[in-house]
Amino acid sequence: METRRDRVRAATVREISETARRILVEQGPEAATLRAIAREMGMTAPALYRYFGSHGELLRHLVGDLFTELTGELHTALKQVPQDDMSGKFLTVSRQFRAWSLAHPREYALLFGAPVRGAAEQEQIDFAEDCAREFGWTFMALFLELWRRGPFRIPSDDEIDPVLRDQLRRYRDGVLGIELPLGVIQQFLKCWIRLQGSVSLEVFGHLAFALDDAAPMFELMLAEISTDLDLTYTPPPHNT
Amino acid sequence: METRRDRVRAATVREISETARRILVEQGPEAATLRAIAREMGMTAPALYRYFGSHGELLRHLVGDLFTELTGELHTALKQVPQDDMSGKFLTVSRQFRAWSLAHPREYALLFGAPVRGAAEQEQIDFAEDCAREFGWTFMALFLELWRRGPFRIPSDDEIDPVLRDQLRRYRDGVLGIELPLGVIQQFLKCWIRLQGSVSLEVFGHLAFALDDAAPMFELMLAEISTDLDLTYTPPPHNT
DNA sequence: GTAAACTGCGAACAGCGTTAACTTCGCATA
DNA sequence: TATGCGAAGTTAACGCTGTTCGCAGTTTAC
C-alpha cells in the first residue's frame, strides 16, 4: 500500500535525479558530485546514501530517467504522424532522436558515451538497462511495422554471411522471440548503425572539423535509407 | 642544439606517457591519476608538474601519441598493398582502423569519446590537435588518390543541398586548399561517417545487444561503400 | 668558480566518495 | 495514550584526488 512516507521518499528521489541532471547540464559531468547535488538540495552528501547505494548507482538511475524521457518524446512525436504514413513515421522518429540528442549533448554522452565505469556491471535488477531496452524497442517496433506494412527488399538467408546469420538467428530467437526473416534484422541493424553512428559523431563534435551543421548530411542519409526501405523521402517540415 | 638534459627530459616525458597509457589500459581511465603514474615511476605527483602543466595536459599529450601510433599503423598497413590497388588500399586502411580500435578500446575512448573536458579548450599550440589532423589526413589523402585515379560517381554542385554546399566549399577552400569538386568531399564525409560511426558503436559496446562479433556487418558496409566508390570488394584475407 | 636553471621532495589545501556513530522525527502498535 | 522502532538526517573521519608552495640537490652555463 502507498503510505505517506513512500510518497515523500519518491519525491526526494525525483528531486535528487533532477538536481543531478541540472548540475550535469549546467556544469558538466565532473561537477555532478554527491556533495554538489546534496548542497544544492540543502542536504549533506551522506544523506544521499539513504536513497542510492553509491554515486554510480545514482547516475545509473538518472540514465534510466533520461532513457524514459527520450523514449517518451519519440512516442509523442510519433503520435502526430498519420497512422498509415510509414515514411513519415520513420523520418519523424529519426529526426526526433537527432533533435533530442543535439539539444541534450551531456545527457546523450551519459547514455551513449563510452561505458567507462566497469561496463560489465551485472546489477541484479538494472533499472537503466530496462529503460534502454525499451528505448531500443521503439525503433525495433517501428521497423517491424515498416516491414509488415510495406515489405522492402531483404537478402535471403543464403545471401547473409554465415557468421552473421548465426548471430541474427540467436538474436531473433533468444531476445526478440518473433518469427521474422533474418534479412529484416540485418537491414534493421544496418539502418540503426547508420542512424546512431551519425548522431554520435555529430553530438561528440567529431564532424566539426568540416561541418558546423550536419543536418544536411543527416537528411542525405535519411533519403538513402528511405530508398533502401522503399519509403518516400520528404524534406523536414521546418527547413531552416 | 640537442643538449644532454634535453635528451633526458624527452626520455622522461616518454616514460610518463607510456606509464600513463599502461595504467589506463590495465586499470581503466579513472585509475590513471597523477599519483598512480608517479608512483609507478618511483616519483611523486608534484614532480610531474615539471613536465606537464596539469593532469589534463598530460592526457592530451598521450592523446597525441596515440593518434601518431594509430596513423603510423595505418601507413604501415598501407605500404603492404600494391601501389595501384586502390580497392585494396581502401579496404586495408578501413580494416586496420577497426582492428586498432578494437584492440585498444580504452585508447579509442580517449581519442574518440565524448570530449567531456571542456571541449572548446583553445590551447595555443595543441599537440594532440595536430596529431588528430594528421590522422584525419590519412583518410582524406587516400580518398583524394581514389578520386584522382579512378573517378567515381559524385553529385554535381547543383544536386547538393545549398546549406551543405556552402559548408563543403568553406572546408575545401579554407582548410584543404585544393581544387576539387564539392561532390567528392560530400562523398568522403558520407563514407567517413559510416566508417567511424560503425567503429565507434562497436567499440563502445552499443551493438552488443544483438551482435557479439560485428565483423560481418562491418564487411557488409565496406562492400556497400566499395560499390559507391567504384571499387572492387574482396573479403578480408584471414577470415575467421 | 659561481650563479642560474632544472628536477626532485615533503607538506599542505580543498574537494572527492564513502563509512560510522549519533540524533531526531514520524508512525504503528500494545 | 505511551512506547518503541525504523527512516532520515547530521557531524566526524578515512583515504583518495589535483594542485601549490617552499626547500633542497644536481646540472649546466658564463
PDB file of all heavy atoms in Angstrom, chain A residues 5 9 35 43-44 46-47 50-51, chain D residues 6-14:
ATOM      1  N   ARG A   5       4.895   8.156   3.772  1.00  0.00           N
ATOM      2  CA  ARG A   5       6.367   8.181   3.715  1.00  0.00           C
ATOM      3  C   ARG A   5       6.883   7.760   2.344  1.00  0.00           C
ATOM      4  O   ARG A   5       7.878   8.272   1.840  1.00  0.00           O
ATOM      5  CB  ARG A   5       6.937   7.258   4.803  1.00  0.00           C
ATOM      6  CG  ARG A   5       7.398   8.013   6.033  1.00  0.00           C
ATOM      7  CD  ARG A   5       8.782   7.597   6.462  1.00  0.00           C
ATOM      8  NE  ARG A   5       8.759   6.444   7.359  1.00  0.00           N
ATOM      9  CZ  ARG A   5       8.891   6.537   8.675  1.00  0.00           C
ATOM     10  NH1 ARG A   5       9.048   7.708   9.242  1.00  0.00           N
ATOM     11  NH2 ARG A   5       8.885   5.469   9.419  1.00  0.00           N
ATOM     12  N   ARG A   9       9.334   9.891   0.060  1.00  0.00           N
ATOM     13  CA  ARG A   9      10.595   9.314  -0.388  1.00  0.00           C
ATOM     14  C   ARG A   9      10.727   9.362  -1.904  1.00  0.00           C
ATOM     15  O   ARG A   9      11.751   9.729  -2.450  1.00  0.00           O
ATOM     16  CB  ARG A   9      10.705   7.866   0.102  1.00  0.00           C
ATOM     17  CG  ARG A   9      12.042   7.242  -0.204  1.00  0.00           C
ATOM     18  CD  ARG A   9      12.123   5.793   0.268  1.00  0.00           C
ATOM     19  NE  ARG A   9      13.352   5.197  -0.188  1.00  0.00           N
ATOM     20  CZ  ARG A   9      14.516   5.322   0.409  1.00  0.00           C
ATOM     21  NH1 ARG A   9      14.601   6.054   1.510  1.00  0.00           N
ATOM     22  NH2 ARG A   9      15.599   4.748  -0.082  1.00  0.00           N
ATOM     23  N   ARG A  35      28.444  15.626  -3.208  1.00  0.00           N
ATOM     24  CA  ARG A  35      28.400  16.813  -2.332  1.00  0.00           C
ATOM     25  C   ARG A  35      27.696  17.977  -3.009  1.00  0.00           C
ATOM     26  O   ARG A  35      26.924  18.704  -2.380  1.00  0.00           O
ATOM     27  CB  ARG A  35      29.818  17.195  -1.928  1.00  0.00           C
ATOM     28  CG  ARG A  35      30.416  16.275  -0.876  1.00  0.00           C
ATOM     29  CD  ARG A  35      31.822  16.739  -0.502  1.00  0.00           C
ATOM     30  NE  ARG A  35      32.201  16.362   0.837  1.00  0.00           N
ATOM     31  CZ  ARG A  35      32.822  15.238   1.151  1.00  0.00           C
ATOM     32  NH1 ARG A  35      33.136  14.378   0.201  1.00  0.00           N
ATOM     33  NH2 ARG A  35      33.136  14.965   2.402  1.00  0.00           N
ATOM     34  N   MET A  43      21.187  19.650   1.683  1.00  0.00           N
ATOM     35  CA  MET A  43      21.458  18.437   2.457  1.00  0.00           C
ATOM     36  C   MET A  43      22.964  18.213   2.531  1.00  0.00           C
ATOM     37  O   MET A  43      23.749  19.042   2.071  1.00  0.00           O
ATOM     38  CB  MET A  43      20.817  17.215   1.787  1.00  0.00           C
ATOM     39  CG  MET A  43      19.302  17.218   1.781  1.00  0.00           C
ATOM     40  SD  MET A  43      18.631  15.807   0.866  1.00  0.00           S
ATOM     41  CE  MET A  43      19.368  14.424   1.734  1.00  0.00           C
ATOM     42  N   THR A  44      23.334  17.107   3.133  1.00  0.00           N
ATOM     43  CA  THR A  44      24.747  16.729   3.134  1.00  0.00           C
ATOM     44  C   THR A  44      24.906  15.427   2.359  1.00  0.00           C
ATOM     45  O   THR A  44      23.950  14.655   2.212  1.00  0.00           O
ATOM     46  CB  THR A  44      25.268  16.525   4.562  1.00  0.00           C
ATOM     47  OG1 THR A  44      24.499  15.497   5.181  1.00  0.00           O
ATOM     48  CG2 THR A  44      25.181  17.804   5.355  1.00  0.00           C
ATOM     49  N   PRO A  46      26.305  12.421   2.806  1.00  0.00           N
ATOM     50  CA  PRO A  46      25.968  11.081   3.317  1.00  0.00           C
ATOM     51  C   PRO A  46      24.471  10.795   3.296  1.00  0.00           C
ATOM     52  O   PRO A  46      24.063   9.627   3.240  1.00  0.00           O
ATOM     53  CB  PRO A  46      26.504  11.111   4.747  1.00  0.00           C
ATOM     54  CG  PRO A  46      27.589  12.120   4.723  1.00  0.00           C
ATOM     55  CD  PRO A  46      27.133  13.181   3.755  1.00  0.00           C
ATOM     56  N   ALA A  47      23.658  11.835   3.369  1.00  0.00           N
ATOM     57  CA  ALA A  47      22.210  11.617   3.373  1.00  0.00           C
ATOM     58  C   ALA A  47      21.749  10.946   2.082  1.00  0.00           C
ATOM     59  O   ALA A  47      20.772  10.191   2.068  1.00  0.00           O
ATOM     60  CB  ALA A  47      21.484  12.951   3.550  1.00  0.00           C
ATOM     61  N   ARG A  50      20.960   7.259   1.787  1.00  0.00           N
ATOM     62  CA  ARG A  50      19.675   6.667   2.164  1.00  0.00           C
ATOM     63  C   ARG A  50      18.858   6.319   0.932  1.00  0.00           C
ATOM     64  O   ARG A  50      17.889   5.562   1.011  1.00  0.00           O
ATOM     65  CB  ARG A  50      18.885   7.638   3.036  1.00  0.00           C
ATOM     66  CG  ARG A  50      19.583   8.051   4.321  1.00  0.00           C
ATOM     67  CD  ARG A  50      19.595   6.909   5.317  1.00  0.00           C
ATOM     68  NE  ARG A  50      20.341   7.234   6.532  1.00  0.00           N
ATOM     69  CZ  ARG A  50      20.659   6.334   7.437  1.00  0.00           C
ATOM     70  NH1 ARG A  50      20.306   5.073   7.284  1.00  0.00           N
ATOM     71  NH2 ARG A  50      21.354   6.700   8.505  1.00  0.00           N
ATOM     72  N   TYR A  51      19.241   6.916  -0.205  1.00  0.00           N
ATOM     73  CA  TYR A  51      18.423   6.733  -1.408  1.00  0.00           C
ATOM     74  C   TYR A  51      19.155   5.950  -2.502  1.00  0.00           C
ATOM     75  O   TYR A  51      18.536   5.271  -3.301  1.00  0.00           O
ATOM     76  CB  TYR A  51      18.001   8.102  -1.950  1.00  0.00           C
ATOM     77  CG  TYR A  51      17.202   8.897  -0.946  1.00  0.00           C
ATOM     78  CD1 TYR A  51      17.818   9.775  -0.058  1.00  0.00           C
ATOM     79  CD2 TYR A  51      15.833   8.715  -0.861  1.00  0.00           C
ATOM     80  CE1 TYR A  51      17.078  10.481   0.875  1.00  0.00           C
ATOM     81  CE2 TYR A  51      15.082   9.415   0.069  1.00  0.00           C
ATOM     82  CZ  TYR A  51      15.709  10.302   0.935  1.00  0.00           C
ATOM     83  OH  TYR A  51      14.978  10.983   1.857  1.00  0.00           O
TER      84      TYR A  51
ATOM     85  P    DG D   6      13.145  -2.015  13.701  1.00  0.00           P
ATOM     86  OP1  DG D   6      12.779  -3.419  13.433  1.00  0.00           O
ATOM     87  OP2  DG D   6      14.429  -1.680  14.367  1.00  0.00           O
ATOM     88  O5'  DG D   6      13.050  -1.205  12.336  1.00  0.00           O
ATOM     89  C5'  DG D   6      11.771  -0.895  11.794  1.00  0.00           C
ATOM     90  C4'  DG D   6      11.807   0.457  11.119  1.00  0.00           C
ATOM     91  O4'  DG D   6      11.848   1.505  12.115  1.00  0.00           O
ATOM     92  C3'  DG D   6      13.042   0.681  10.236  1.00  0.00           C
ATOM     93  O3'  DG D   6      12.641   1.351   9.060  1.00  0.00           O
ATOM     94  C2'  DG D   6      13.932   1.556  11.090  1.00  0.00           C
ATOM     95  C1'  DG D   6      12.886   2.416  11.782  1.00  0.00           C
ATOM     96  N9   DG D   6      13.337   3.064  13.003  1.00  0.00           N
ATOM     97  C8   DG D   6      14.118   2.518  13.998  1.00  0.00           C
ATOM     98  N7   DG D   6      14.351   3.352  14.974  1.00  0.00           N
ATOM     99  C5   DG D   6      13.693   4.508  14.601  1.00  0.00           C
ATOM    100  C6   DG D   6      13.592   5.749  15.262  1.00  0.00           C
ATOM    101  O6   DG D   6      14.067   6.084  16.343  1.00  0.00           O
ATOM    102  N1   DG D   6      12.820   6.659  14.532  1.00  0.00           N
ATOM    103  C2   DG D   6      12.235   6.394  13.317  1.00  0.00           C
ATOM    104  N2   DG D   6      11.545   7.379  12.759  1.00  0.00           N
ATOM    105  N3   DG D   6      12.326   5.239  12.688  1.00  0.00           N
ATOM    106  C4   DG D   6      13.064   4.348  13.386  1.00  0.00           C
ATOM    107  P    DA D   7      13.538   1.281   7.748  1.00  0.00           P
ATOM    108  OP1  DA D   7      13.066   0.133   6.956  1.00  0.00           O
ATOM    109  OP2  DA D   7      14.959   1.378   8.154  1.00  0.00           O
ATOM    110  O5'  DA D   7      13.164   2.624   6.993  1.00  0.00           O
ATOM    111  C5'  DA D   7      11.906   3.237   7.220  1.00  0.00           C
ATOM    112  C4'  DA D   7      12.068   4.749   7.266  1.00  0.00           C
ATOM    113  O4'  DA D   7      12.523   5.140   8.591  1.00  0.00           O
ATOM    114  C3'  DA D   7      13.113   5.287   6.284  1.00  0.00           C
ATOM    115  O3'  DA D   7      12.561   6.415   5.621  1.00  0.00           O
ATOM    116  C2'  DA D   7      14.295   5.665   7.160  1.00  0.00           C
ATOM    117  C1'  DA D   7      13.608   6.046   8.472  1.00  0.00           C
ATOM    118  N9   DA D   7      14.440   5.855   9.658  1.00  0.00           N
ATOM    119  C8   DA D   7      15.148   4.739  10.017  1.00  0.00           C
ATOM    120  N7   DA D   7      15.791   4.862  11.149  1.00  0.00           N
ATOM    121  C5   DA D   7      15.478   6.147  11.569  1.00  0.00           C
ATOM    122  C6   DA D   7      15.853   6.888  12.708  1.00  0.00           C
ATOM    123  N6   DA D   7      16.646   6.417  13.662  1.00  0.00           N
ATOM    124  N1   DA D   7      15.371   8.145  12.819  1.00  0.00           N
ATOM    125  C2   DA D   7      14.575   8.616  11.851  1.00  0.00           C
ATOM    126  N3   DA D   7      14.152   8.014  10.740  1.00  0.00           N
ATOM    127  C4   DA D   7      14.646   6.774  10.662  1.00  0.00           C
ATOM    128  P    DA D   8      13.387   7.156   4.457  1.00  0.00           P
ATOM    129  OP1  DA D   8      12.402   7.692   3.499  1.00  0.00           O
ATOM    130  OP2  DA D   8      14.436   6.209   3.994  1.00  0.00           O
ATOM    131  O5'  DA D   8      14.077   8.367   5.206  1.00  0.00           O
ATOM    132  C5'  DA D   8      13.269   9.346   5.842  1.00  0.00           C
ATOM    133  C4'  DA D   8      14.156  10.447   6.396  1.00  0.00           C
ATOM    134  O4'  DA D   8      14.800   9.965   7.594  1.00  0.00           O
ATOM    135  C3'  DA D   8      15.278  10.873   5.447  1.00  0.00           C
ATOM    136  O3'  DA D   8      15.407  12.284   5.460  1.00  0.00           O
ATOM    137  C2'  DA D   8      16.501  10.195   6.031  1.00  0.00           C
ATOM    138  C1'  DA D   8      16.183  10.235   7.512  1.00  0.00           C
ATOM    139  N9   DA D   8      16.895   9.246   8.312  1.00  0.00           N
ATOM    140  C8   DA D   8      17.247   7.970   7.954  1.00  0.00           C
ATOM    141  N7   DA D   8      17.895   7.314   8.892  1.00  0.00           N
ATOM    142  C5   DA D   8      17.975   8.231   9.929  1.00  0.00           C
ATOM    143  C6   DA D   8      18.542   8.150  11.229  1.00  0.00           C
ATOM    144  N6   DA D   8      19.159   7.061  11.691  1.00  0.00           N
ATOM    145  N1   DA D   8      18.439   9.236  12.024  1.00  0.00           N
ATOM    146  C2   DA D   8      17.821  10.329  11.546  1.00  0.00           C
ATOM    147  N3   DA D   8      17.253  10.512  10.348  1.00  0.00           N
ATOM    148  C4   DA D   8      17.359   9.423   9.588  1.00  0.00           C
ATOM    149  P    DG D   9      16.226  13.019   4.274  1.00  0.00           P
ATOM    150  OP1  DG D   9      15.420  14.146   3.770  1.00  0.00           O
ATOM    151  OP2  DG D   9      16.691  11.975   3.339  1.00  0.00           O
ATOM    152  O5'  DG D   9      17.516  13.579   5.059  1.00  0.00           O
ATOM    153  C5'  DG D   9      17.418  14.806   5.722  1.00  0.00           C
ATOM    154  C4'  DG D   9      18.189  14.780   7.020  1.00  0.00           C
ATOM    155  O4'  DG D   9      18.138  13.470   7.616  1.00  0.00           O
ATOM    156  C3'  DG D   9      19.704  15.025   6.912  1.00  0.00           C
ATOM    157  O3'  DG D   9      19.983  16.398   6.756  1.00  0.00           O
ATOM    158  C2'  DG D   9      20.170  14.516   8.274  1.00  0.00           C
ATOM    159  C1'  DG D   9      19.156  13.413   8.595  1.00  0.00           C
ATOM    160  N9   DG D   9      19.769  12.086   8.587  1.00  0.00           N
ATOM    161  C8   DG D   9      19.731  11.129   7.590  1.00  0.00           C
ATOM    162  N7   DG D   9      20.365  10.027   7.907  1.00  0.00           N
ATOM    163  C5   DG D   9      20.858  10.269   9.186  1.00  0.00           C
ATOM    164  C6   DG D   9      21.626   9.446  10.046  1.00  0.00           C
ATOM    165  O6   DG D   9      22.034   8.287   9.840  1.00  0.00           O
ATOM    166  N1   DG D   9      21.914  10.083  11.245  1.00  0.00           N
ATOM    167  C2   DG D   9      21.510  11.351  11.584  1.00  0.00           C
ATOM    168  N2   DG D   9      21.874  11.798  12.781  1.00  0.00           N
ATOM    169  N3   DG D   9      20.783  12.123  10.809  1.00  0.00           N
ATOM    170  C4   DG D   9      20.497  11.533   9.621  1.00  0.00           C
ATOM    171  P    DT D  10      21.495  16.817   6.388  1.00  0.00           P
ATOM    172  OP1  DT D  10      21.449  18.254   6.018  1.00  0.00           O
ATOM    173  OP2  DT D  10      22.060  15.840   5.461  1.00  0.00           O
ATOM    174  O5'  DT D  10      22.270  16.686   7.773  1.00  0.00           O
ATOM    175  C5'  DT D  10      21.899  17.522   8.874  1.00  0.00           C
ATOM    176  C4'  DT D  10      22.658  17.108  10.116  1.00  0.00           C
ATOM    177  O4'  DT D  10      22.436  15.695  10.346  1.00  0.00           O
ATOM    178  C3'  DT D  10      24.177  17.255   9.990  1.00  0.00           C
ATOM    179  O3'  DT D  10      24.565  18.529  10.466  1.00  0.00           O
ATOM    180  C2'  DT D  10      24.701  16.138  10.887  1.00  0.00           C
ATOM    181  C1'  DT D  10      23.561  15.116  10.970  1.00  0.00           C
ATOM    182  N1   DT D  10      23.861  13.820  10.284  1.00  0.00           N
ATOM    183  C2   DT D  10      24.538  12.844  10.962  1.00  0.00           C
ATOM    184  O2   DT D  10      24.940  12.965  12.104  1.00  0.00           O
ATOM    185  N3   DT D  10      24.761  11.691  10.250  1.00  0.00           N
ATOM    186  C4   DT D  10      24.350  11.426   8.953  1.00  0.00           C
ATOM    187  O4   DT D  10      24.585  10.359   8.417  1.00  0.00           O
ATOM    188  C5   DT D  10      23.651  12.508   8.307  1.00  0.00           C
ATOM    189  C7   DT D  10      23.177  12.336   6.890  1.00  0.00           C
ATOM    190  C6   DT D  10      23.433  13.645   8.988  1.00  0.00           C
ATOM    191  P    DT D  11      25.962  19.128  10.006  1.00  0.00           P
ATOM    192  OP1  DT D  11      25.937  20.574  10.368  1.00  0.00           O
ATOM    193  OP2  DT D  11      26.204  18.709   8.623  1.00  0.00           O
ATOM    194  O5'  DT D  11      27.037  18.378  10.918  1.00  0.00           O
ATOM    195  C5'  DT D  11      26.938  18.431  12.343  1.00  0.00           C
ATOM    196  C4'  DT D  11      27.966  17.496  12.962  1.00  0.00           C
ATOM    197  O4'  DT D  11      27.693  16.133  12.548  1.00  0.00           O
ATOM    198  C3'  DT D  11      29.416  17.783  12.535  1.00  0.00           C
ATOM    199  O3'  DT D  11      30.270  17.746  13.676  1.00  0.00           O
ATOM    200  C2'  DT D  11      29.735  16.674  11.538  1.00  0.00           C
ATOM    201  C1'  DT D  11      28.876  15.533  12.043  1.00  0.00           C
ATOM    202  N1   DT D  11      28.476  14.575  10.973  1.00  0.00           N
ATOM    203  C2   DT D  11      28.792  13.237  11.098  1.00  0.00           C
ATOM    204  O2   DT D  11      29.398  12.776  12.051  1.00  0.00           O
ATOM    205  N3   DT D  11      28.360  12.451  10.044  1.00  0.00           N
ATOM    206  C4   DT D  11      27.672  12.867   8.924  1.00  0.00           C
ATOM    207  O4   DT D  11      27.343  12.078   8.061  1.00  0.00           O
ATOM    208  C5   DT D  11      27.384  14.285   8.866  1.00  0.00           C
ATOM    209  C7   DT D  11      26.647  14.841   7.698  1.00  0.00           C
ATOM    210  C6   DT D  11      27.790  15.068   9.877  1.00  0.00           C
ATOM    211  P    DA D  12      31.820  18.165  13.504  1.00  0.00           P
ATOM    212  OP1  DA D  12      32.218  18.796  14.770  1.00  0.00           O
ATOM    213  OP2  DA D  12      32.005  18.895  12.225  1.00  0.00           O
ATOM    214  O5'  DA D  12      32.560  16.752  13.389  1.00  0.00           O
ATOM    215  C5'  DA D  12      32.260  15.736  14.348  1.00  0.00           C
ATOM    216  C4'  DA D  12      33.126  14.507  14.097  1.00  0.00           C
ATOM    217  O4'  DA D  12      32.518  13.697  13.040  1.00  0.00           O
ATOM    218  C3'  DA D  12      34.557  14.811  13.629  1.00  0.00           C
ATOM    219  O3'  DA D  12      35.457  13.931  14.278  1.00  0.00           O
ATOM    220  C2'  DA D  12      34.492  14.580  12.124  1.00  0.00           C
ATOM    221  C1'  DA D  12      33.467  13.452  12.019  1.00  0.00           C
ATOM    222  N9   DA D  12      32.746  13.397  10.754  1.00  0.00           N
ATOM    223  C8   DA D  12      32.213  14.448  10.060  1.00  0.00           C
ATOM    224  N7   DA D  12      31.610  14.099   8.943  1.00  0.00           N
ATOM    225  C5   DA D  12      31.759  12.731   8.895  1.00  0.00           C
ATOM    226  C6   DA D  12      31.342  11.752   7.967  1.00  0.00           C
ATOM    227  N6   DA D  12      30.664  12.051   6.855  1.00  0.00           N
ATOM    228  N1   DA D  12      31.660  10.465   8.235  1.00  0.00           N
ATOM    229  C2   DA D  12      32.339  10.185   9.348  1.00  0.00           C
ATOM    230  N3   DA D  12      32.783  11.010  10.298  1.00  0.00           N
ATOM    231  C4   DA D  12      32.456  12.283  10.009  1.00  0.00           C
ATOM    232  P    DA D  13      37.072  14.111  14.119  1.00  0.00           P
ATOM    233  OP1  DA D  13      37.675  13.764  15.424  1.00  0.00           O
ATOM    234  OP2  DA D  13      37.339  15.417  13.496  1.00  0.00           O
ATOM    235  O5'  DA D  13      37.467  12.969  13.090  1.00  0.00           O
ATOM    236  C5'  DA D  13      37.026  11.631  13.349  1.00  0.00           C
ATOM    237  C4'  DA D  13      37.185  10.795  12.098  1.00  0.00           C
ATOM    238  O4'  DA D  13      36.180  11.188  11.135  1.00  0.00           O
ATOM    239  C3'  DA D  13      38.531  10.954  11.381  1.00  0.00           C
ATOM    240  O3'  DA D  13      39.285   9.771  11.531  1.00  0.00           O
ATOM    241  C2'  DA D  13      38.166  11.234   9.926  1.00  0.00           C
ATOM    242  C1'  DA D  13      36.685  10.884   9.866  1.00  0.00           C
ATOM    243  N9   DA D  13      35.934  11.642   8.869  1.00  0.00           N
ATOM    244  C8   DA D  13      35.760  12.997   8.824  1.00  0.00           C
ATOM    245  N7   DA D  13      35.038  13.410   7.818  1.00  0.00           N
ATOM    246  C5   DA D  13      34.714  12.240   7.139  1.00  0.00           C
ATOM    247  C6   DA D  13      33.970  11.995   5.976  1.00  0.00           C
ATOM    248  N6   DA D  13      33.394  12.953   5.274  1.00  0.00           N
ATOM    249  N1   DA D  13      33.837  10.701   5.580  1.00  0.00           N
ATOM    250  C2   DA D  13      34.429   9.746   6.311  1.00  0.00           C
ATOM    251  N3   DA D  13      35.145   9.861   7.421  1.00  0.00           N
ATOM    252  C4   DA D  13      35.253  11.144   7.781  1.00  0.00           C
ATOM    253  P    DC D  14      40.829   9.717  11.051  1.00  0.00           P
ATOM    254  OP1  DC D  14      41.569   8.965  12.091  1.00  0.00           O
ATOM    255  OP2  DC D  14      41.269  11.068  10.655  1.00  0.00           O
ATOM    256  O5'  DC D  14      40.771   8.820   9.727  1.00  0.00           O
ATOM    257  C5'  DC D  14      40.114   7.563   9.766  1.00  0.00           C
ATOM    258  C4'  DC D  14      40.100   6.993   8.358  1.00  0.00           C
ATOM    259  O4'  DC D  14      39.032   7.620   7.614  1.00  0.00           O
ATOM    260  C3'  DC D  14      41.394   7.261   7.595  1.00  0.00           C
ATOM    261  O3'  DC D  14      41.970   6.060   7.108  1.00  0.00           O
ATOM    262  C2'  DC D  14      40.995   8.182   6.453  1.00  0.00           C
ATOM    263  C1'  DC D  14      39.495   7.966   6.331  1.00  0.00           C
ATOM    264  N1   DC D  14      38.785   9.214   5.887  1.00  0.00           N
ATOM    265  C2   DC D  14      37.924   9.163   4.784  1.00  0.00           C
ATOM    266  O2   DC D  14      37.751   8.094   4.206  1.00  0.00           O
ATOM    267  N3   DC D  14      37.317  10.304   4.389  1.00  0.00           N
ATOM    268  C4   DC D  14      37.527  11.446   5.035  1.00  0.00           C
ATOM    269  N4   DC D  14      36.895  12.537   4.616  1.00  0.00           N
ATOM    270  C5   DC D  14      38.399  11.507   6.160  1.00  0.00           C
ATOM    271  C6   DC D  14      39.002  10.383   6.549  1.00  0.00           C
TER     272       DC D  14
END
